Amino acid sequence: MSELPVRQSAVAGQFYPGDPNVLQRMIQEYIDEATLPEDLGTVRAVIAPHAGYVYSGPTAGYTFKALAMLPPKKRTVFLLGPAHRVYFHGVALGNYSAFRTPLGDAPIAVDRVAEILARSPLYTPAPEAHAPEHCLEVEVPFLQMTLPDFRLVPMLFGDADPREISAELAGHIGEDDLILVSSDLSHFYPYARARQLDHTLLEALVAGDEMGVLRGEACGHAPMVTLMGIARRKGWEPHLLDYRTSGDTMGDKWQVVGYASVAYTD
């Protein structure tokens, strides 16, 4: 048995239901409601929002429906997101044996985490950053509902250069690895302004304009640009699957948050 601790849920019952039966039904409804292009291709990486499910769940449903279409096999999911609560340099890798959610324990790829930490000073073990953070946790129940056999490499971005990270990481992403970037878009603008800002960023993302994404408003722009750099090196193509705001899902359009679902395919 691993001596590493299990990372306990920080936001179950807040960002998403703490009751496993309610949680399963909610996630399944979001996935069932999503519709994808028939010719999407083989998904290698995705972007999903990380707000409370009642706000961003419908958009997340598109992301995870794309993952659910993959053939079943053992996979390692590199889960990238921005640190919201703790400041640190580099990228913090969760030094845990598993992430716990109401649906059970999602195992960590402890061998891959150890290998990455030993490989470069760009990475650091920082459990104090992971413990209160929501952006990675909220993706895990969706993964548990869509991938039958996976391990996590949780990567929380602090003060880090995404171009350095993508250059270092790209050569270590294998055929059975997936990348999942967790990010919301603009925060707390009126509805029309938010849509304008978000579409400018998403146009830059689809065009492969890394500086355009860095200039835009997304809490996870560093993980996004990391994925963009890896995708450029590997020849993956982005597809915008869904975009909406909290004004679309919850009705209040005075101050909204933007959400997008994106898939990268071979």
Side-chain angles (χ1 to χ4, degrees):
M1 294 292 290
S2 172
E3 296 180 358
L4 294 173
V6 172
R7 192 264 184 195
Q8 302 295 321
S9 170
V11 295
Q14 302 173 47
F15 278 63
Y16 60 89
D19 182 302
N21 294 318
V22 175
L23 178 58
Q24 285 180 316
R25 287 196 300 271
M26 176 180 280
I27 291 173
Q28 194 62 54
E29 286 177 5
Y30 292 142
I31 293 170
D32 290 345
E33 290 169 0
T35 56
L36 299 180
E38 292 183 4
D39 57 348
L40 185 59
T42 301
V43 176
R44 301 302 309 273
V46 290
I47 299 172
H50 58 231
Y53 284 12
V54 295
Y55 297 99
S56 65
T59 294
Y62 283 77
T63 299
F64 292 95
K65 188 159 196 167
L67 292 185
M69 294 170 59
L70 289 168
K73 63 168 65 175
K74 187 177 183 66
R75 300 182 186 274
T76 299
V77 179
F78 287 74
L79 178 53
L80 285 57
H84 290 82
R85 297 177 180 274
V86 177
Y87 178 84
F88 58 92
H89 291 282
V91 176
L93 273 70
N95 208 14
Y96 302 100
S97 61
F99 263 42
R100 179 161 294 164
T101 81
L103 302 184
D105 288 356
I108 302 297
V110 293
D111 54 336
R112 302 288 293 272
V113 170
E115 170 197 321
I116 295 167
L117 287 170
R119 199 169 66 218
S120 172
L122 294 169
Y123 309 104
T124 180
E128 71 279 2
H130 278 272
E133 180 58 50
H134 67 276
C135 79
L136 304 186
E137 178 184 328
V138 299
E139 312 296 0
V140 178
F142 273 96
L143 286 170
Q144 291 171 306
M145 289 286 291
T146 51
L147 295 181
D149 189 0
F150 71 93
R151 303 182 305 160
L152 291 172
V153 177
M155 305 180 72
L156 200 57
F157 279 60
D159 183 3
D161 184 337
R163 290 160 294 187
E164 286 187 328
I165 304 300
S166 63
E168 197 288 322
L169 195 58
H172 301 280
I173 301 296
E175 285 299 310
D176 295 333
D177 296 335
L178 297 169
I179 300 173
L180 167 53
V181 169
S182 176
S183 181
D184 293 339
L185 303 180
S186 66
H187 286 59
F188 308 132
Y189 288 95
Y191 183 78
R193 177 60 173 155
R195 288 181 60 86
Q196 180 185 44
L197 290 168
D198 293 342
H199 282 296
T200 297
L201 182 143
L202 292 170
E203 287 168 6
L205 185 142
V206 170
D209 178 3
E210 296 175 12
M211 291 307 299
V213 171
L214 288 173
R215 287 192 299 267
E217 297 207 18
C219 55
H221 60 69
M224 281 183 174
V225 170
T226 297
L227 170 55
M228 292 172 72
I230 294 171
R232 174 168 44 80
R233 291 171 171 85
K234 292 185 174 290
W236 300 345
E237 295 292 332
H239 308 268
L240 178 61
L241 303 179
D242 189 61
Y243 167 76
R244 64 189 83 190
T245 75
S246 57
D248 298 308
T249 54
M250 293 301 287
D252 180 2
K253 296 187 176 181
W254 175 242
Q255 289 186 319
V256 304
V257 179
Y259 313 119
S261 168
V262 178
Y264 282 78
T265 64
D266 278 335

